[in-house]
Amino acid sequence: MAGRGGGGDQGGDRAAGAAGAVDLEMAVQSHQDKDKGAAGRRSGVPYEEAIALVGHGRFHFGLLLVCGGCITATICELLGVGYLLPAAQCDLEMTDADKGLLGSMAFIGMLFGSHLWGFLADTTGRRSVVLLTLFVDTAIAVLAALVPVYWMFLVLRFLAGFFVTAPQAVGYAYLGEFHSPATRAKAFVWAAVFPAIGLIFLPGVGWWVLPMTWSLELPWMAAHSWRLYVILCAVPSLVTALGMCALPESPKYLLSQGRADDALAVLRRVYSANTGRPPEEFPVDSLAPPTDHTAGHAAGADPKSIAAVMRSVWNQTAPLFTLEHALSTFLALFIMFGIIAGANGLPTWLPELFNRMAMFESTHEGRSASVCASIEGLLGPAANGSDTAAACEAVVETDVFVNNLYVGVAGVIAPVLSVFLVGPLGKRSLLILSLLLTGACGLGLQFVDSSLGFLILACIVCAVTEMCISLFSSIAVDMFPTHLRAMAVSLSLMFGRLGSIVGNLMFGSLLESACPATFYALGGVLLACGAFSFALPRQGKFQH
């Protein structure tokens, strides 16, 4: 028994020794794995290399949805008013002049807001600016649906434009800074799908809501269906704001502000979301300081007065007009002016143009004519003036919704095709070809003598120019250093809003008095933008 007990003790010792050896071997292996992992990690990695190491996956898909939602929200705020003007003219007692001012007011608000939001995005962060403006835009839409008089609605349309300019402009910079140069171009092109979503959303919701004849009696007014339409146009803003709550601040912005540890934490989060691995496995220990030596200077200021804010805005803007950046700034401003003049000017007036062509065909027993001939053919009956009561009975024809749905579908197809073309052609060449194509189609709008032909050319102009906004923004992002990037894009979009105002006023002033000149101007400015695009650099100076 003692022998057996001693044998048992010896067996236990051998087992314990074997287990200890296994534990020691596992510890040594774990230590070797850690050494290998540490050996594979890098320090002082440039940002563009680090962002490429996070991969491309689920995070970037969600990022695209949110940034695309910013673009959709902007489109809905800008172009939604074109569908509600006929329905709201009685409640707001609008004349034709009032309608024209109301249609331009959001663009005027964007003109005033673009510069400020670009400055705030460069000094306080991209994410915070987008969140603030989207939530405020939603609140403004609810207020606009409840105001009883025209001038109050006009003021709120100005404020809507003032705030909604930020999500689109800042959203492009935010989207681009989460991508490496290898994936940035395609991300911007895919973002160009989202204006088309807005172009489909607006006529689809309008077709459903605006024909309704219900009336809700409130203590201060009677609410009709167009007020519901105003609120629904802000739904993309609210949904996008909720999505933005789940996203982090731009790591490139954080790095430019000297917050390298925070930037690295964001990159680790993105890496984990894309790969499914723990954040600690991200093979970068530290980031190299930004090469833009002036980065963070503007944000280092703590403006406490209006004068200080204006001085900071000037300090943030003035470098764009120095000798180093003057050519890039001029090209960014002029080309964006022309692109958005075509992208917003024509779509705003398409319901009216489609309606006039349909009215001409119905009054001339199906006879088709060019858009200018249709307008001239209707001038005789319309020249007698319009009675206020008769104008209040005007409605948006069904054909307007149907045709604009086709325009929206074309807006989806164009950027999808460009995704496959941007690789072999390059961003610059694709932009040049697109602008030349839209310029030619813009000139041709006045010559086609059927509503179908006009619809086809209008689809090309609207869809391709909307795609060009994203495409050119991706080029502009690489033309400026990080600390000027959001300001440069915002400033170019501010000039684009000016183009929207000029385009709308041009249509309103020339359509009846000199109709062909309207389309000569539309096609001419797009062709000029295509010509100036030859001066763009083949590769962005600040791409790396």
Side-chain angles (χ1 to χ4, degrees):
M1 294 291 294
R4 286 193 297 269
D9 291 341
Q10 291 176 4
D13 291 342
R14 287 194 298 269
V22 172
D23 290 341
L24 178 62
E25 182 179 356
M26 291 176 64
V28 171
Q29 182 65 39
S30 176
H31 183 71
Q32 291 175 346
D33 291 341
K34 290 182 179 178
D35 288 343
K36 290 180 181 179
R41 304 177 73 88
R42 299 164 56 192
S43 300
V45 179
Y47 180 81
E48 296 294 353
E49 294 183 24
I51 195 65
L53 293 174
V54 303
H56 192 273
R58 289 179 298 174
F59 178 87
H60 288 91
F61 178 73
L63 175 73
L64 178 63
L65 290 179
V66 172
C67 293
C70 292
I71 303 170
T72 300
T74 304
I75 292 297
C76 290
E77 279 293 349
L78 291 178
L79 302 182
V81 68
Y83 294 92
L84 64 86
L85 285 178
Q89 63 182 347
C90 295
D91 288 348
L92 299 181
E93 299 179 353
M94 291 187 293
T95 65
D96 288 342
D98 293 332
K99 293 178 185 178
L101 181 59
L102 184 60
S104 300
M105 191 53 65
F107 294 111
I108 296 174
M110 297 184 82
L111 187 63
F112 279 87
S114 294
H115 203 71
L116 173 64
W117 295 121
F119 164 72
L120 291 177
D122 280 337
T123 54
T124 65
R126 283 53 160 141
R127 179 178 177 272
S128 59
V129 166
V130 172
L131 273 175
L132 170 67
T133 53
L134 286 173
F135 278 124
V136 172
D137 178 65
T138 304
I140 290 174
V142 175
L143 289 176
L146 298 176
V147 297
V149 294
Y150 170 78
W151 70 265
M152 296 175 66
F153 194 81
L154 194 70
V155 171
L156 290 172
R157 287 300 302 165
F158 173 86
L159 292 177
F162 180 84
F163 282 97
V164 83
T165 186
Q168 183 181 32
V170 179
Y172 279 122
Y174 184 78
L175 175 64
E177 290 173 355
F178 276 98
H179 283 272
S180 66
T183 61
R184 187 174 298 143
K186 287 187 177 181
F188 276 102
V189 173
W190 276 114
V193 173
F194 289 85
I197 295 176
L199 293 176
I200 295 174
F201 177 85
L202 289 174
V205 173
W207 199 355
W208 169 51
V209 173
L210 293 179
M212 294 181 181
T213 58
W214 55 262
S215 177
L216 177 63
E217 293 296 330
L218 299 176
W220 62 94
M221 68 177 187
H224 298 104
S225 61
W226 68 267
R227 296 184 182 275
L228 174 61
Y229 181 76
V230 172
I231 296 176
L232 292 177
C233 285
V235 168
S237 294
L238 178 61
V239 173
T240 302
L242 296 176
M244 180 62 74
C245 291
L247 295 179
E249 180 57 88
S250 162
K252 191 160 192 177
Y253 165 79
L254 294 173
L255 184 63
S256 72
Q257 305 305 298
R259 299 165 58 184
D261 291 340
D262 293 336
L264 183 59
V266 172
L267 292 177
R268 286 171 174 166
R269 173 181 169 182
V270 176
Y271 171 81
S272 178
N274 284 338
T275 63
R277 296 183 175 183
E280 296 77 15
E281 293 187 11
F282 184 55
V284 174
D285 280 329
S286 63
L287 297 172
T291 56
D292 303 335
H293 65 279
T294 56
H297 289 183
D302 184 19
K304 292 181 169 56
S305 66
I306 294 178
V309 171
M310 297 304 295
R311 185 164 54 251
S312 297
V313 172
W314 172 253
N315 291 336
Q316 192 76 2
T317 307
L320 294 174
F321 297 93
T322 60
L323 186 62
E324 179 183 6
H325 302 300
L327 177 60
S328 297
T329 301
F330 167 77
L331 292 174
L333 300 187
F334 180 83
I335 294 175
M336 194 64 83
F337 175 94
I339 292 175
I340 298 186
N344 288 340
L346 180 62
T348 303
W349 282 87
L350 274 181
E352 178 69 15
L353 297 176
F354 285 139
N355 202 43
R356 294 200 185 189
M357 294 187 77
M359 289 173 60
F360 179 86
E361 292 180 359
S362 63
T363 56
H364 291 75
E365 299 181 355
R367 174 188 163 195
S368 61
S370 68
V371 61
C372 289
S374 298
I375 292 172
E376 292 173 0
L378 295 173
L379 278 179
N384 297 326
S386 60
D387 179 70
T388 304
C392 286
E393 296 176 0
V395 295
V396 182
E397 297 292 339
T398 301
D399 287 347
V400 173
F401 297 117
V402 175
N403 288 342
N404 278 279
L405 282 172
Y406 286 130
V407 173
V409 172
V412 175
I413 296 174
V416 171
L417 290 177
S418 66
V419 168
F420 300 100
L421 296 175
V422 70
L425 294 179
K427 293 184 289 186
R428 176 177 173 271
S429 297
L430 181 59
L431 178 70
I432 293 172
L433 292 175
S434 299
L435 289 174
L436 295 179
L437 172 64
T438 55
C441 291
L443 292 175
L445 284 171
Q446 64 164 313
F447 296 111
V448 291
D449 58 359
S450 68
S451 56
L452 177 60
F454 184 86
L455 173 62
I456 292 173
L457 293 184
C459 286
I460 294 174
V461 174
C462 295
V464 178
T465 51
E466 282 290 350
M467 181 271 294
C468 285
I469 296 176
S470 295
L471 183 61
F472 181 66
S473 294
S474 72
I475 296 174
V477 162
D478 292 333
M479 291 166 60
F480 300 94
T482 302
H483 68 289
L484 298 176
R485 188 165 291 166
M487 175 61 77
V489 175
S490 293
L491 190 61
S492 66
L493 287 171
M494 183 182 75
F495 269 71
R497 304 312 166 205
L498 180 61
S500 298
I501 296 171
V502 172
N504 277 283
L505 294 177
M506 177 189 70
F507 270 94
S509 60
L510 298 179
L511 199 58
E512 292 187 353
S513 60
C515 181
T518 307
F519 298 99
Y520 284 133
L522 173 65
V525 72
L526 291 172
L527 290 174
C529 289
F532 276 108
S533 296
F534 283 98
L536 293 172
R538 293 184 179 275
Q539 184 176 7
K541 295 186 294 183
F542 298 93
Q543 180 173 340
H544 302 289

